[in-house]
Amino acid sequence: MRVLAVFLLGAAFAAAAGGGGELPEFREAPAFRNGAACADAPTIHIAMTLDGTYLRGSLAGVLSVLRHAACPESVAFHFVASSASPARRLASLRRALAAAFPTLPATVHRFDARLVRGKISSSVRRALDQPLNYARIYLADLLPRSVSRVLYLDSDLLVVDDVARLWATDLGPDAALAAPEYCHANFTSYFTDAFWSHPEYTAVFANRTRVPCYFNTGVMVIDLDRWRSGGYTAKLEYWMEVQKQEARIYELGSLPPFLLVFAGEVKAVEHRWNQHGLGGDNVAGQCRQLHPGPVSLLHWSGKGKPWLRLDAGRPCPLDALWMPYDLLRRRGARDDLLAAVS
């Protein structure tokens, strides 16, 4: 099996270095080797965002994928960089990645942030307003036409199972997207009264295959051929333009456009593949517990990120699960934690 990870690089480097222009140093991750059964396994394409702010989380996420993948030595990376990223800062990201994963190949593609700057409206949390948060909408344009399927993962999660199991999700004859659905969530709360009071807007859900349900866009299996033929990028952009030019119909970043286009048409995935919400809500970022059931992926969606809470000396109990995957180099610290994942 060959795992091909596509990373979207942004321009927010200062926050990762405590306000300075340089990125922190990272340790080299353990080397994981392929097994004998990997020779004929398919390539797995994984897309993630990567910028200075979330670099630490991204590297931990990559390490978790490699640690639990059946064929980790076949990992290759495609990096999609924001067109706004200065060359010096992009070089710093390259060095950090090379320090952590020196044997992995890397290719850089450029994402034009101007595609979304005029379409983004303010939301409940500033991080959700960054252009890179919307880059997942453009994966079908950013990746080569030879890539027919991609697994999108957020940069604040850990995979604790063989990602090939998620990759093998059967999308059926028509679905362009698969993700865990949460039909117990209050779907109406993701849109404003201005949306629900407008018959033309609400009609979008009238002829869906199933009852529309909330799904988290941090873990998605996407059929890129179906995405391209269905013109889904343009459909998502349409709702962003409605939000920007006609009426404020939602409050939560890039998620609502995905719900407007895909809710009720998503191929459901087991909940074990997105134990989300571990970062609390988008305001307080309070501690939360795991949902009942098995766990294949831990997702710190919400305001609270494990590396920030650990650094502040106020970790939540589940942040201890993230800590062994942290590749940040600290002065005088030993690499004992890395031994736990090698």
Side-chain angles (χ1 to χ4, degrees):
M1 172 180 57
R2 193 177 183 196
V3 183
L4 178 61
V6 182
F7 288 81
L8 308 168
L9 281 74
F13 294 82
E22 296 300 322
L23 295 175
E25 293 185 4
F26 294 92
R27 298 170 288 174
E28 182 177 340
F32 301 101
R33 304 300 182 188
N34 284 358
C38 294
D40 299 323
T43 300
I44 294 177
H45 300 267
I46 299 177
M48 296 177 69
T49 59
L50 185 68
D51 62 7
T53 302
Y54 283 86
L55 175 60
R56 194 167 160 192
S58 295
L59 296 181
V62 173
L63 176 56
S64 74
V65 170
L66 298 179
R67 166 63 181 83
H68 298 281
C71 304
E73 199 174 11
S74 298
V75 176
F77 293 91
H78 282 231
F79 299 94
V80 182
S82 171
S83 59
S85 300
R88 180 179 63 83
R89 290 181 172 179
L90 183 56
S92 295
L93 269 183
R94 286 182 179 271
R95 287 193 297 270
L97 289 161
F101 304 103
T103 63
L104 298 182
T107 304
V108 175
H109 308 279
R110 305 290 279 184
F111 169 63
D112 188 353
R114 293 174 298 180
L115 288 170
V116 295
R117 287 196 187 279
K119 302 181 180 73
I120 296 175
S121 55
S122 60
S123 63
V124 297
R125 186 158 57 91
R126 184 177 179 183
L128 301 178
D129 302 338
Q130 301 306 308
L132 197 60
N133 191 44
Y134 292 79
R136 70 195 79 186
I137 293 172
Y138 297 90
L139 290 174
D141 301 318
L142 293 167
L143 305 190
R145 289 276 173 168
S146 58
V147 178
S148 61
R149 173 182 284 217
V150 66
L151 170 59
Y152 176 81
L153 299 177
D154 269 351
S155 296
D156 53 359
L157 55 75
L158 295 177
V159 177
V160 293
D161 198 345
D162 185 358
V163 74
R165 297 188 175 98
L166 178 58
W167 175 259
T169 299
D170 181 4
L171 273 72
D174 302 312
L177 188 152
E181 290 184 301
Y182 303 91
C183 294
H184 63 278
N186 182 5
F187 187 77
T188 60
S189 67
Y190 291 96
F191 303 98
T192 65
D193 291 342
F195 173 84
W196 292 114
S197 63
H198 198 301
E200 184 178 340
Y201 296 158
T202 58
V204 70
F205 296 125
N207 297 312
R208 296 295 166 93
T209 303
R210 301 186 314 281
V211 174
C213 293
Y214 160 73
F215 66 95
N216 181 279
T217 57
V219 179
M220 299 184 289
V221 182
I222 302 172
D223 186 311
L224 292 176
D225 288 340
R226 293 176 184 173
W227 183 291
R228 293 171 182 128
S229 63
Y232 287 110
T233 296
K235 292 176 181 179
L236 288 159
E237 288 181 323
Y238 166 77
W239 287 109
M240 293 167 65
E241 290 167 354
V242 168
Q243 163 84 347
K244 193 72 174 178
Q245 300 174 13
E246 295 184 17
R248 190 168 181 85
I249 58 175
Y250 56 80
E251 303 286 352
L252 200 60
S254 62
L255 169 64
F258 272 88
L259 297 179
L260 288 161
V261 173
F262 291 107
E265 304 292 344
V266 171
K267 182 62 181 292
V269 175
E270 288 183 275
H271 288 175
R272 67 188 303 153
W273 285 107
N274 195 351
Q275 286 271 347
H276 69 296
L278 303 185
D281 62 19
N282 284 300
V283 179
Q286 69 273 38
C287 297
R288 287 184 176 171
Q289 297 300 314
L290 289 174
H291 309 296
V295 180
S296 293
L297 186 149
L298 300 159
H299 187 187
W300 279 263
S301 58
K303 183 179 180 180
K305 304 307 175 187
W307 57 93
L308 297 178
R309 295 194 294 213
L310 287 163
D311 288 352
R314 296 190 298 271
C316 293
L318 290 176
D319 296 343
L321 300 176
W322 184 89
M323 190 163 48
Y325 296 88
D326 186 9
L327 292 172
L328 182 68
R329 183 181 297 280
R330 298 176 178 83
R331 289 185 180 180
R334 299 186 300 173
D335 290 346
D336 293 347
L337 288 178
L338 284 179
V341 297
S342 62

